[in-house]
Amino acid sequence: MPKRPSRLTVVLLCTILISAPANRAQSPATSASPEKVIIDTDIGDDIDDAFAVALALRSPELQILGITTTFGDTETRAKLLDRFLAESGRPDIPVAAGAPMPPKSNLTQRRYAESGHFGKPSHPGAVAFLLDQIRHNPGQITLIAIGPLMNVGAAIDKDPASFRKLKRVILMGGSIKRGYGDLGFGQPAPPQPEWNILNDIASAQKLFGAGVPLFVMPLDATQLKLDEVKRAYLFSQGTSITDALTVLYHQWGQETPTLFDPMTIAFLVNPALCPTQPMHIRVDEKGFTRNDPGPSSASSSPNAQVCLDSNPDAFFRFLIPRIAAP
């Protein structure tokens, strides 16, 4: 007859079984210090910037040192962020505004920004803010660039040595093999000049030559459609962030958002969502981002890690629970 285990053995076994899942669930991201990030955005035109900021706010792996605005009416963009951050419970995050320029786009969410709720009368300059943060945190900051690259180019011009002390830049930009409207099925669309690159080609060229570790999420991997079912679920959650996104979505005024920009945040938290490969990218005078290895030389060595494909299902399984969380 088999010997029955002692009471002490049973207690120890139960303790092991209970504690083991918790130990397995712990990931390096939860045990390590949060990643210091600055987000550079043209929030207020398309709606995907707001979803990217929302995902960053809902990612405890990140410490957002500040958000800078770029392109066109940068002060109104900053006021939009003032309200969005305050309504999301994070008014402590600094907002800095890039140099204004004549608008080339329709700031669709202007009413939200100009409502008077939480908007600050002025904001510090984006380039000075970015460089100051790099100097105080050398080698520690990831810059997430999800707008035209005016602030990036100006920072490189002003202090290239400090800019090179970024830990890395994660860029939503470019089009390597697939252009707008190419979702990976149906009729292929050839590469095109992508919006963030096209609106400041010179700054894009400076970034790809800056010598900073650069991770690129181009159109090839970021044409991620937030369909009606996913929108209905998110907008029904009734949290401060989902309510703000609902208002901004309706002011945007179109139907199905393409969430280009949130992939930068998703990649930073979980790189497996957008696997990269080394490339030498050349930005030409028309704004095309060419995979141009050129002759075998130091000048043609890889200058970026580029994601050419992603899994939309995996991306949305990551994004939606985070943004929807209370």
Side-chain angles (χ1 to χ4, degrees), residues 217-245:
M217 314 286 114
L219 295 180
D220 307 66
T222 59
Q223 300 191 69
L224 301 154
K225 298 291 186 180
L226 186 69
D227 64 31
E228 182 180 4
V229 173
K230 298 180 182 70
R231 295 196 306 274
Y233 175 77
L234 276 177
F235 296 162
S236 68
Q237 295 308 299
T239 72
S240 56
I241 282 185
T242 59
D243 285 353
L245 288 174

Side-chain angles (χ1 to χ4, degrees), residues 41-46 49 67-83 95-97 103-110 113 123 148 195:
T41 175
D42 60 340
I43 193 169
D45 293 341
D46 207 338
D49 296 76
I67 305 178
T68 57
T69 62
T70 184
F71 192 61
D73 189 350
T74 52
E75 272 293 331
T76 298
R77 298 187 197 279
K79 290 179 180 179
L80 190 159
L81 282 165
D82 290 339
R83 178 177 173 183
V95 177
K104 296 182 180 179
S105 60
N106 179 23
L107 213 163
T108 62
Q109 297 133 68
R110 181 178 294 276
H123 300 85
W195 176 262

Side-chain angles (χ1 to χ4, degrees), residues 133-149:
Q133 291 295 318
I134 296 171
R135 294 178 192 121
H136 282 88
N137 302 277
Q140 299 179 57
I141 295 176
T142 294
L143 175 62
I144 300 169
I146 56 175
L149 295 164

Side-chain angles (χ1 to χ4, degrees), residues 5-29:
S6 69
R7 183 177 179 181
L8 177 60
T9 302
V10 172
V11 170
L12 289 173
L13 181 60
C14 290
T15 302
I16 292 169
L17 290 173
I18 291 170
S19 62
N23 291 335
R24 287 196 300 268
Q26 186 177 19
S27 67

